[in-house]
Amino acid sequence: MIAMSTPLSVTIVIPVYNEALIIADSLTKLLTFLSKELLTYGYRILVVDNASTDQTADLVSAIARHHPEVSLLRLTEKGKGRAVRAGWDTGGDILVFMDADLSSDLSFFPALITPIASGTADLAIGNRLGRTSVLISEKRGRKIASQFYNALARLLLRTGIDDHQCGFKAISKNAYARIRPHGIDPGFFFDTELIAWTKKLGFAIAQIDIRWVDSPVSKVSLFSDSIRMFGSMLELAARLHL
């Protein structure tokens, strides 16, 4: 359990790649929400730009000049996993990441970090597929592919988790320190790898049913990324000796 003698620090990492169309609006919404709902925590927002070629970095820097709780970290290589780890490596009592489009309803943010703050869980994950979850998406093909992927992950990696890929997760600094050396995937498989090693090392996971509104634009290729992640899943199962 994390000590409660001083306010806990929350580091919120937002990995971005060419998000100039949405990042300013997303940061404004997030800052407004946090200023009202996260009063008992110290928090900062770290936008990790993994090699954007548009104006994303400039827009984040402009906001950061007026909001000291916002900062920018620029990487020279792409990859969601690489970006999240680089952000989490900067420290914090509770480490969070969320997608730049804020597809996860921010009203569930307190529920995401509470299990970590209370010590009842080491990793908390947004669950789009839970009994009380609300998933709004017009992409029928992606929904079917997601259900198949999650069923396969439960079978091969023995996670017992409903939703492996939701971009809304929080972890304690102690659990992350133990899991970090095992994380090698630089891309979208990062989430599944994180969950599998959390289970393997005996840490507790809390699944938080959320409301999710799917973005009309996705950086994930339904075919090529799915094939790549399936290969990564087989490799991870071998590494875990499952």
Side-chain angles (χ1 to χ4, degrees), residues 15-210:
V16 295
Y17 174 70
N18 287 350
E19 301 289 5
L21 293 178
I22 64 170
I23 192 60
D25 184 55
S26 292
L27 286 176
T28 299
K29 289 179 180 177
L30 181 57
L31 284 164
T32 299
F33 175 84
L34 294 175
S35 68
K36 297 177 181 178
E37 302 295 335
L38 223 64
L39 300 178
T40 59
Y41 297 86
Y43 62 85
R44 64 188 180 102
I45 303 167
L46 177 57
V47 180
V48 183
D49 181 359
N50 47 352
S52 289
T53 57
D54 64 1
Q55 300 302 308
T56 297
D58 294 335
L59 292 168
V60 174
S61 296
I63 292 174
R65 284 194 288 271
H66 301 283
H67 296 276
E69 61 270 50
V70 176
S71 57
L72 172 70
L73 174 61
R74 302 192 72 175
L75 304 181
T76 57
E77 295 181 274
K78 292 172 59 178
K80 173 185 176 179
R82 179 180 289 111
V84 175
R85 280 192 290 268
W88 282 0
D89 286 348
T90 65
D93 293 318
I94 301 174
L95 307 171
V96 177
F97 90 84
M98 61 177 62
D99 292 335
D101 57 16
L102 303 184
S103 290
S104 298
D105 191 323
L106 286 176
S107 66
F108 292 90
F109 188 89
L112 184 75
I113 65 173
T114 294
I116 312 301
S118 66
T120 59
D122 304 289
L123 173 68
I125 59 178
N127 183 7
R128 299 166 296 184
L129 306 174
R131 184 175 57 83
T132 62
S133 303
V134 177
L135 173 59
I136 300 175
S137 176
E138 298 179 355
K139 303 173 185 175
R140 180 172 176 80
R142 289 190 181 276
K143 290 171 70 174
I144 294 173
S146 176
Q147 291 170 351
F148 177 76
Y149 176 89
N150 283 296
L152 196 61
R154 286 191 293 272
L155 176 65
L156 293 180
L157 302 177
R158 304 176 188 175
T159 63
I161 296 298
D162 294 333
D163 185 359
H164 297 77
Q165 292 296 104
C166 180
F168 196 55
K169 292 182 172 66
I171 191 170
S172 71
K173 65 178 182 180
N174 293 332
Y176 178 63
R178 287 276 311 281
I179 296 165
R180 175 65 172 90
H182 302 284
I184 63 173
D185 190 84
F188 291 113
F189 190 67
F190 161 81
D191 302 74
T192 303
E193 184 181 57
L194 175 69
I195 290 170
W197 277 108
T198 300
K199 294 284 288 189
K200 177 69 173 181
L201 296 175
F203 291 107
I205 300 177
Q207 300 190 74
I208 312 300
D209 289 2
I210 63 169

